[in-house]
């Protein structure tokens, strides 16, 4: 069995793979795991700067240049995390529908890199592109595990190298509404990202099309609110990313993580220091 993991992190819009799991990806990249970031769409419908300019001037923007800009933002953001493998599929995100060609494209990537772990959106996220991306990802895992003439093949269902053993969904709300809150998102897996929180903030600052940037406080507001919020506080760390595992994990014995035991052994002053640390400025 291979020692290193292959991880595929799929976000519906270009920014999503970073904002929901960027700190975790930076840790895996630093550990030597293979990390691939994929976004099926251009995210053009969320180019907030271009939308503002179009509303004010009425002039149709140069769409190709805007798509290039969104691709570059994601590539630059991933580079901040130490991730160089970025797949920007470039599909339109104006009306989000599951499309066979996108499923096939995602399946091709799964067949090529044979991820052990896939990270993507909560399946019932009420942001249409998010939920549809998860739907297409699940279809693509299935497609990649079967025979598609001339296409790469990625078996699933076990824990040997090359098989997708686990899918982790983000647990942050896509929107705040009744549908999101009817489906309570209980995290199963918390990753302490305190040592990569600043890298993630630097990565988020690459998304200037959505009002992030070195002179903008947005990364700090969201970083403290999401990663520094309830999940981190309850785990007694400064910053954390939270996930829900798709499959029940299998162990030889009842598990308690050695990391949790290490955190529990901290003296009170260290625990308080860790919990109240604010790194984002
Ligand atoms: Zn999104």
């Amino acid at each position: 069995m291979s020692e290193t993991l292959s991880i595929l992190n799929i976000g519906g819009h270009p920014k999503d793979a970073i904002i929901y799991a960027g700190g975790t990806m930076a840790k895996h990249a630093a550990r030597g795991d293979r990390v691939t970031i994929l976004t099926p769409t251009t995210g053009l419908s969320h180019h907030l700067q271009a939308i503002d300019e179009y509303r004010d001037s009425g002039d149709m923007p140069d769409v190709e240049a805007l798509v290039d800009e969104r691709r570059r933002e994601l590539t630059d953001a991933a580079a901040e995390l130490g991730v160089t493998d970025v797949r920007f599929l470039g599909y339109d995100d104006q009306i989000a529908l599951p499309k066979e060609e996108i499923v096939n494209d995602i399946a091709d990537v799964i067949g090529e890199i044979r991820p052990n772990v896939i990270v993507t959106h909560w399946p019932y996220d009420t942001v249409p592109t998010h939920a549809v991306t998860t739907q297409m990802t699940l279809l693509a895992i299935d497609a990649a595990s079967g025979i598609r003439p001339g296409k790469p093949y990625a078996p699933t269902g076990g824990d040997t190298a090359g098989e997708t053993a686990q899918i982790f969904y983000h647990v942050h709300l896509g929107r705040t509404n009744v549908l999101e809150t009817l489906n309570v998102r209980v995290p199963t897996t918390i990753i302490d990202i305190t040592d990569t929180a600043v890298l993630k903030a630097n990565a988020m600052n690459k998304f200037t099309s959505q009002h992030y940037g070195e002179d903008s406080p947005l990364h700090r507001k969201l970083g403290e609110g999401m990663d520094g919020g309830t999940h981190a506080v309850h785990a007694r760390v400064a910053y954390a990313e939270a996930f829900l595992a798709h499959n029940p994990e299998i162990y030889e014995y009842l598990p308690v993580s050695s990391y949790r035991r290490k955190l529990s052994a901290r003296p009170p002053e260290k625990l308080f220091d860790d919990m109240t640390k604010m790194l984002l400025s």
Side-chain angles (χ1 to χ4, degrees):
M1 190 162 69
S2 163
E3 289 295 317
T4 56
L5 292 176
S6 173
I7 299 172
L8 177 59
N9 176 13
I10 302 181
H13 302 109
K15 184 172 91 284
D16 293 331
I18 311 289
I19 192 167
Y20 295 118
T24 303
M25 294 306 109
K27 292 183 68 134
H28 281 282
R31 194 178 74 161
D33 291 330
R34 175 179 188 165
V35 179
T36 302
I37 286 176
L38 182 150
T39 184
T41 76
T42 62
L44 210 57
S45 69
H46 288 56
H47 194 305
L48 303 178
Q49 269 188 348
I51 292 166
D52 289 347
E53 282 169 25
Y54 179 52
R55 188 192 54 217
D56 292 344
S57 71
D59 297 332
M60 194 60 195
D62 178 346
V63 170
E64 261 179 53
L66 293 177
V67 170
D68 277 348
E69 185 190 349
R70 297 240 55 188
R71 180 188 290 113
R72 198 172 52 249
E73 284 178 347
L74 178 59
T75 308
D76 291 350
E80 291 286 337
L81 307 175
V83 176
T84 53
D85 187 3
V86 175
R87 315 296 177 103
F88 187 96
L89 301 186
Y91 288 95
D92 180 45
D93 68 322
Q94 191 61 47
I95 299 174
L97 295 170
K99 292 199 179 81
E100 193 174 338
E101 64 263 41
I102 305 180
V103 173
N104 266 311
D105 282 358
I106 298 172
D108 287 352
V109 175
I110 291 171
E112 177 197 331
I113 67 169
R114 298 172 68 142
N116 306 105
V117 172
I118 292 178
V119 179
T120 192
H121 299 277
W122 166 251
Y124 305 107
D125 194 313
T126 59
V127 177
T129 302
H130 295 180
V132 163
T133 294
T134 299
Q135 216 176 337
M136 293 192 295
T137 299
L138 295 173
L139 291 168
I141 293 169
D142 201 49
S145 69
I147 302 298
R148 296 177 303 145
K151 297 286 193 174
Y153 166 68
T156 59
D159 62 355
T160 56
E163 297 186 350
T164 300
Q166 190 57 280
I167 305 164
F168 287 106
Y169 301 123
H170 317 142
V171 300
H172 283 292
L173 301 182
R175 285 174 177 152
T176 306
N177 60 36
V178 69
L179 286 178
E180 296 265 4
T181 40
L182 279 175
N183 287 290
V184 178
R185 305 181 186 193
V186 181
T188 57
T189 311
I190 306 273
I191 304 296
D192 179 358
I193 63 155
T194 303
D195 55 356
T196 55
V198 172
L199 288 181
K200 179 175 176 179
N202 294 342
M204 290 306 300
N205 280 338
K206 300 298 179 187
F207 295 102
T208 53
S209 68
Q210 293 187 276
H211 304 311
Y212 288 88
E214 279 169 26
D215 299 326
S216 162
L218 197 50
H219 73 272
R220 181 166 197 244
K221 179 72 177 168
L222 274 179
E224 298 293 355
M226 291 173 70
D227 300 335
T230 312
H231 299 309
V233 170
H234 289 170
R236 307 283 192 267
V237 297
Y239 301 95
E241 286 171 342
F243 304 96
L244 175 72
H246 175 88
N247 298 306
E249 194 51 275
I250 181 160
Y251 301 93
E252 203 177 356
Y253 301 99
L254 293 173
V256 177
S257 87
S258 56
Y259 194 68
R260 173 185 280 274
R261 295 175 80 177
K262 191 176 112 186
L263 290 178
S264 302
R266 286 172 295 178
E269 59 278 13
K270 171 86 168 92
L271 187 150
F272 184 73
D273 187 51
D274 286 350
M275 279 181 70
T276 53
K277 200 176 280 165
M278 281 196 261
L279 299 169
L280 309 181
S281 55

